[in-house]
Amino acid sequence: MSIDSLTTIQQEADRLATVLAATDPAQRVPTCPDWTAADLLWHLTEVHEFWAAILASRATAEEEVMAIEEAKAPRPAEQDVLSARREAATASLLAQLTARSDEEAAWFWFSQEQTVGVTRRMQTHEATIHRVDAELTAGRPVTSISPEVAAAGLDHVLRVMWPAGHEWIPDWASTTPVAAIEIRPDGGAPQLLGISRWSGTRPRDGQEFDAPVGRLLEEPADAEGLPRATVSGSAISMNLWAWGRAQALDHLADGPDAVEIHGDPEAIRQLEALIAEGHD
């Protein structure tokens, strides 16, 4: 079954806004502790405005994107003004996604994905995950995610969110493979995730770095000699887990769910570090 991204984005964004309208704006977001409920509403607003502008301008170059970012209107102080601006931002994004085909070229922050299609997919999952954030912030049961959207959300993390981290490793750093994780969603084909750590000393200030990155391994031999672990579960549980929202699994409206993680303790430790990097 194909995913109706336009309907999903609209429904999830509206649900987020409705939930947050009945929530104290100063309430902390448990899955993004640095944010308040008002910050969460602003985040979705500026995200929708940004990508609507990217698509409307047909931007394909970094310079064009920087100009869009610099022209961004400031965050409004009044909550009702922010709510109206979120509604308009979502409408603008959906209008652009309606007008553009997935095959058309468009700037995106991952070099291997430079089409309208990846923005459509990204915004489907971003709206869904942040709706989960809103429900957790409000202390409400977490509304279910369709199996199709959940499976696609996990795939998006495996093929876009985590691999993009490799592109941001500075040229002065070194990279070392540290673990191989078999990803086994219920009803889906198993995939092998490789975790590496990049580390080094930044020349300009001497600051030390050591952080995990992940991407799918092309050949089983690429995992030879690495600590191994296996992660399994339902589509919704693995989707929420991969997006760093595992705490939502105890609050699902349809009842609690979980992912099962087994294997070498070192592989599990590296996997937990990768998950802890999070996705906004």
Side-chain angles (χ1 to χ4, degrees):
M1 181 184 294
S2 62
I3 296 170
D4 184 347
S5 293
L6 298 179
T7 298
T8 300
I9 293 168
Q10 182 75 73
Q11 290 179 343
E12 296 288 27
D14 287 349
R15 172 66 176 166
L16 176 148
T18 298
V19 168
L20 293 181
T23 304
D24 180 354
Q27 180 68 36
R28 287 287 164 184
V29 180
T31 38
C32 303
D34 292 339
W35 290 357
T36 63
D39 294 334
L40 177 57
L41 182 61
W42 168 241
H43 176 72
L44 190 71
T45 302
E46 62 177 348
V47 163
H48 284 186
E49 287 181 342
F50 176 78
W51 290 104
I54 292 290
L55 297 180
S57 67
R58 298 183 176 269
T60 57
E62 293 287 343
E63 296 78 9
E64 297 169 297
V65 175
M66 290 176 62
I68 289 170
E69 186 67 27
E70 290 170 359
K72 180 175 67 176
R75 174 177 174 171
E78 301 82 3
Q79 195 70 6
D80 58 339
V81 177
L82 175 55
S83 295
R85 187 162 154 186
R86 192 290 308 169
E87 186 174 1
T90 301
S92 295
L93 174 64
L94 293 174
Q96 290 302 318
L97 290 173
T98 299
R100 303 286 302 275
S101 67
D102 283 354
E103 296 75 21
E104 292 182 66
W107 179 87
F108 193 69
W109 40 258
F110 183 33
S111 68
Q112 296 181 37
E113 298 273 3
Q114 295 289 307
T115 65
V116 173
V118 71
T119 296
R120 190 185 308 276
R121 297 194 306 273
M122 181 72 204
Q123 294 313 308
T124 299
H125 304 305
E126 179 137 11
T128 300
I129 291 300
H130 286 319
R131 181 268 296 167
V132 171
D133 292 334
E135 290 174 330
L136 289 172
T137 301
R140 298 192 184 192
V142 174
T143 308
S144 185
I145 302 171
S146 77
E148 294 80 14
V149 171
L154 172 63
D155 191 66
H156 191 75
V157 172
L158 292 171
R159 298 185 181 278
V160 175
M161 305 299 287
W162 281 335
H166 282 266
E167 296 192 345
W168 304 327
I169 297 173
D171 55 11
W172 44 260
S174 61
T175 305
T176 304
V178 292
I181 312 296
E182 188 170 355
I183 306 294
R184 301 185 62 91
D186 294 348
Q191 300 183 80
L192 194 59
L193 171 70
I195 301 177
S196 298
R197 296 194 74 92
W198 70 269
S199 59
T201 303
R202 188 162 59 192
R204 65 179 171 85
D205 60 6
Q207 183 173 349
E208 297 284 345
F209 290 85
D210 180 14
V213 288
R215 62 183 171 194
L216 292 175
L217 298 178
E218 296 182 3
E219 301 292 340
D222 295 336
E224 187 173 348
L226 295 176
R228 300 283 292 261
T230 300
V231 184
S232 59
S234 66
I236 186 171
S237 68
M238 295 201 69
N239 178 45
L240 290 169
W241 164 81
W243 282 90
R245 270 68 178 184
Q247 62 183 282
L249 298 177
D250 290 331
H251 304 282
L252 296 176
D254 295 337
D257 201 349
V259 294
E260 299 290 335
I261 304 176
H262 303 285
D264 188 299
E266 177 58 18
I268 294 173
R269 186 179 76 83
Q270 297 293 349
L271 177 61
E272 290 173 344
L274 180 64
I275 291 291
E277 291 289 294
H279 312 288
D280 289 343

